[in-house]
Amino acid sequence: MAELDNLYKAVILEHFKHPRNKGLLNDATYKTHRIKNPSCGDDITIQSKVENHQIVDCRFEGVGCSICLASASVLTEIAIGKETSDAKKVADNYLKMIRNEAFDESIDLEEAEVFSGVKVFPARIKCASIAWQAFLKTVFDEDEKQ
Ligand code: ZN
């Protein structure tokens, strides 16, 4: 189990150091949503472009801790190319997983699995949530669950 934790930490650190899809575009066809987490200094903006119910691009910008920035980077990679309904399933299950709520384990969370350990650190749950909450807002205009 310790080895698994180390692997997960390595993936998180790798995304933190080499973030994917970072930098916003000045393009009105993208929807943008920003969420801050004052308790940690996290400040994340997500940008998504949807065409024919498919997420054709997803980008982020922001500052924050390694968990927050890595979760944004992982999110963008998972989201791009997905049907919006599939992306919502993954996002909903990811948010349940990190909140230690019952979730559908048949849904593949892909690389987002690496954040499963966050549930035992209540102070970090928000760090790992805000990028995904902002993402849902850009695609579905849903309000954040507090
Ligand atoms: Zn944080």
Side-chain angles (χ1 to χ4, degrees):
M1 197 61 201
E3 273 177 42
L4 196 64
D5 285 348
N6 285 337
L7 172 69
Y8 283 6
K9 273 183 212 149
V11 172
I12 290 169
L13 208 58
E14 206 276 324
H15 274 272
F16 176 61
K17 286 182 178 163
H18 306 286
R20 319 297 201 274
N21 305 302
K22 191 161 190 264
L24 302 181
L25 300 178
N26 187 10
D27 181 332
T29 64
Y30 284 69
K31 278 195 175 174
T32 300
H33 192 74
R34 178 180 185 180
I35 301 181
K36 294 181 190 178
N37 171 21
S39 66
C40 185
D42 301 322
D43 180 350
I44 287 289
T45 302
I46 300 289
Q47 221 179 21
S48 304
K49 180 172 180 163
V50 175
E51 278 176 359
N52 300 320
H53 305 290
Q54 189 181 29
I55 296 151
V56 294
D57 198 12
C58 184
R59 312 193 54 83
F60 83 99
E61 187 55 84
V63 293
C65 66
S66 57
I67 299 239
C68 181
L69 293 173
S71 70
S73 175
V74 167
L75 156 74
T76 62
E77 283 202 317
I78 289 174
I80 293 171
K82 277 208 171 38
E83 297 284 324
T84 53
S85 57
D86 290 337
K88 182 166 168 44
K89 276 184 208 158
V90 174
D92 286 345
N93 272 279
Y94 167 83
L95 289 168
K96 285 179 183 167
M97 174 185 77
I98 60 173
R99 290 174 184 142
N100 207 13
E101 296 170 3
F103 66 100
D104 184 349
E105 293 186 32
S106 71
I107 289 171
D108 184 5
L109 295 179
E110 302 176 35
E111 210 167 25
E113 284 274 358
V114 300
F115 297 96
S116 60
V118 168
K119 60 177 175 277
V120 298
F121 302 103
R124 310 310 296 278
I125 291 170
K126 191 150 193 187
C127 301
S129 303
I130 58 173
W132 290 74
Q133 290 171 326
F135 168 70
L136 287 171
K137 188 84 180 168
T138 62
V139 178
F140 301 101
D141 204 28
E142 283 188 2
D143 284 320
E144 302 156 44
K145 182 177 170 184
Q146 296 299 320

